[in-house]
Structure formats: structure tokens, C-alpha cells
Amino acid sequence: VQLVESGGGLVQAGDSLRLSCVVSGDTLCLGDMGWYRQVPGKERDVVATITKYGRTKYGDSVKGRFIISRDNAEKTVYLQMNSLKPEDTAVYFCKADGGCNIESTWYKEGQGTQVTVSS
């Protein structure tokens, strides 16, 4: 199983970006998906998660600005980031889990995509 993120870049404060993460490989019974971000020297920050049933949860710092969604047919999770702030600058990582039974459960993270927001 592999996760590949795309969509990062350099934007100005107030702009929007949409991140995508495609899951490939043996992904039967794809489960929960989500995004977290990390700044060097700081702890990992969970941005948003979405269950296989579509239930979403957001970190306090992004509530009302970011929207997570998924396309199960395309095995893709998205993160629409609006009203970006300089403090949103980080490497954004995609994560996913799955498995049809206990013996086949898996968890993977992507390589990350840089998001930089200038003031």
C-alpha cells in the first residue's frame, strides 16, 4: 500500500489550496483516512480525519477553514484549505488504514507535501 500526496505549494495568507492523497496497492476494505501536519521541532498536529462512513473531525486550529472529503471509488482523500494563515505552514502528511480482518489490518502514511503560507 502506498499513499502519495499532491497539491502543496507556496501561497499568500488568505489564499486556498487543495491537497490530494491517492492510496494505491492492495487496499481492500479501506478504512479511516486523514491528514496531519508537522513543523520541524514541534509535535505532530492532527489536522482532520474522515472515517470510512464519512464522519469527519477537525483540529481546533483549522475548524471552519479546512474541509476533508474522500472519494472511495478513487481511493483518494482531499483537504480543502481555505483562509490560509502563516501558522498553517508545515509539511502535510496523509494517513490511512484498512483491512478486512484482524490479520490483514494495515496503516500507512505518505511522504508529505510542503505547504508554505506567506504573510
Side-chain angles (χ1 to χ4, degrees):
V1 176
Q2 285 190 318
L3 279 62
V4 178
E5 303 100 332
S6 62
L10 171 63
V11 297
Q12 293 187 328
D15 285 351
S16 297
L17 271 179
R18 188 193 198 203
L19 304 183
S20 300
C21 173
V22 180
V23 184
S24 63
D26 184 6
T27 57
L28 280 177
C29 302
L30 183 60
D32 298 347
M33 306 177 80
W35 295 88
Y36 70 90
R37 64 189 181 187
Q38 190 151 28
V39 176
K42 294 189 176 182
E43 288 189 0
R44 179 182 296 195
D45 182 23
V46 176
V47 176
T49 58
I50 183 166
T51 71
K52 58 183 178 180
Y53 304 111
R55 181 171 295 180
T56 60
K57 186 178 292 185
Y58 296 92
D60 288 340
S61 62
V62 306
K63 282 180 182 177
R65 298 188 297 124
F66 291 10
I67 301 170
I68 189 171
S69 61
R70 63 190 284 169
D71 183 329
N72 291 326
E74 297 296 326
K75 298 178 182 179
T76 301
V77 61
Y78 303 98
L79 185 67
Q80 177 66 42
M81 305 186 293
N82 302 317
S83 302
L84 282 162
K85 305 176 181 179
E87 50 264 44
D88 293 318
T89 296
V91 178
Y92 284 70
F93 297 87
C94 170
K95 59 178 182 175
D97 62 37
C100 300
N101 52 59
I102 294 177
E103 289 77 22
S104 65
T105 56
W106 54 268
Y107 173 84
K108 289 288 186 178
E109 298 178 351
Q111 294 299 307
T113 184
Q114 176 71 46
V115 172
T116 303
V117 185
S118 64
S119 57

